[in-house]
Amino acid sequence: HPNIIPAPQKMVAGEGTFIAKKGMTIVSKDAKDFSAHYLQDKLEEVFDFPVTVSTQAKADGCITFVTDKSLPQEGYKLDIQQGSITIASADEAGKYYGVQTLLQLFPAGVYSGDHLRLKEYPIGALSVEDAPRFGYRGFMLDVSRTFFELEYLRNYIDWMSHHKLNRLHLHLTDDNGWRIEIKKYPKLTEVGATRQEGEGTTHGGFYTQEEIKEVVAYAAERHITVVPELETPGHE
């Protein structure tokens, strides 16, 4: 069996091989489906041909999203056959997690951004069925002690979603630094966002309200809820 992280509840190898090649189409009833276009972008990182998204099924070589209301919340079924791949889910989160499992069966370049320019790629027939054991699956990132730029947060959220985590506990304030703009109280960031780290060196930064909105929206697209932690004052 392939190494899928986290390990799914059920995985059964089949017979035959799906060949990802020119003409491969992602099929979704929704032309603006985020999961479909996300998968398209990732696959085009490694292949030497365009991967299209369509609302119309083709005879062969399709990755098709279907709805199955019998599946649990955030659950999915991934079925890989010789001529097609199907991802079934009851909700958008399950669909997205099915995509993440499928991507783990492709070369690592789908994550690294390496343009491998592959002409084709084989994936053995496989049936995967999975759903999260726990509703809350999270990481905590302490940006009060160490400030991280917006691009780092986006990358952090991406890696969380690759592993099907769904809560980002963002530690925004402490005695080490105040990292979120509060327009009514500008001195919180004017004074509290920067600290002395040594002779002649400082560490600091903060997120504007617009930047925080961007982070929340970016995470929500990937089915991650941002849980802010703010303390007044920072504890001793």
Side-chain angles (χ1 to χ4, degrees):
H1 290 321
N3 292 321
I4 295 173
I5 301 173
Q9 295 176 359
K10 184 179 180 181
M11 183 162 50
V12 179
E15 295 183 0
T17 302
F18 176 87
I19 304 296
K21 58 185 178 180
K22 187 175 182 179
M24 183 170 58
T25 302
I26 300 167
V27 181
S28 173
K29 292 180 180 179
D30 180 5
K32 297 181 179 180
D33 187 342
F34 176 81
S35 291
H37 288 281
Y38 176 93
L39 177 59
Q40 176 190 36
D41 291 343
K42 291 294 185 184
L43 294 181
E44 288 187 339
E45 291 286 352
V46 296
F47 287 109
D48 192 30
F49 54 80
V51 179
T52 59
V53 175
S54 174
T55 57
Q56 302 295 321
K58 294 172 59 179
D60 198 15
C62 287
I63 302 173
T64 304
F65 293 110
V66 300
T67 301
D68 184 346
K69 292 297 184 181
S70 70
L71 292 172
Q73 185 178 4
E74 298 184 290
Y76 67 89
K77 287 182 180 178
L78 170 64
D79 186 37
I80 301 173
Q81 301 291 337
Q82 184 167 328
S84 64
I85 296 175
T86 303
I87 298 175
S89 63
D91 56 23
E92 294 298 315
K95 180 193 297 184
Y96 184 77
Y97 295 150
V99 166
Q100 294 301 334
T101 293
L102 176 60
L103 286 173
Q104 291 189 36
L105 304 177
F106 283 93
V110 297
Y111 297 112
S112 66
D114 294 339
H115 296 284
L116 303 181
R117 309 188 76 81
L118 300 177
K119 300 295 184 183
E120 60 180 41
Y121 191 79
I123 300 177
L126 186 70
S127 177
V128 179
E129 187 170 349
D130 195 24
R133 290 179 60 198
F134 303 103
Y136 191 112
R137 307 177 302 281
F139 270 176
M140 190 272 276
L141 184 62
D142 187 347
V143 297
S144 174
R145 286 167 176 79
T146 305
F147 179 73
F148 296 102
E149 299 291 344
L150 221 57
E151 185 62 24
Y152 184 95
L153 291 188
R154 285 191 286 262
N155 289 336
Y156 196 88
I157 289 166
D158 282 335
W159 281 106
M160 286 180 64
S161 77
H162 297 335
H163 296 87
K164 306 180 178 76
L165 300 175
N166 68 351
R167 297 290 188 277
L168 172 57
H169 173 176
L170 203 56
H171 188 37
L172 290 163
T173 66
D174 214 318
D175 54 336
N176 303 93
W178 186 282
R179 303 297 180 211
I180 182 171
E181 176 189 36
I182 306 295
K183 293 182 179 179
K184 188 176 180 180
Y185 302 107
K187 283 194 173 182
L188 287 171
T189 49
E190 288 174 6
V191 177
T194 305
R195 67 174 185 264
Q196 293 294 323
E197 287 235 303
E199 188 174 345
T201 63
T202 60
H203 178 83
F206 67 93
Y207 308 110
T208 67
Q209 290 188 9
E210 290 305 312
E211 287 174 331
I212 286 293
K213 290 176 183 177
E214 180 184 336
V215 168
V216 170
Y218 190 87
E221 286 182 322
R222 290 151 181 79
H223 304 281
I224 293 173
T225 300
V226 177
V227 182
E229 179 183 350
L230 293 95
E231 299 164 318
T232 51
H235 61 76
E236 294 296 329

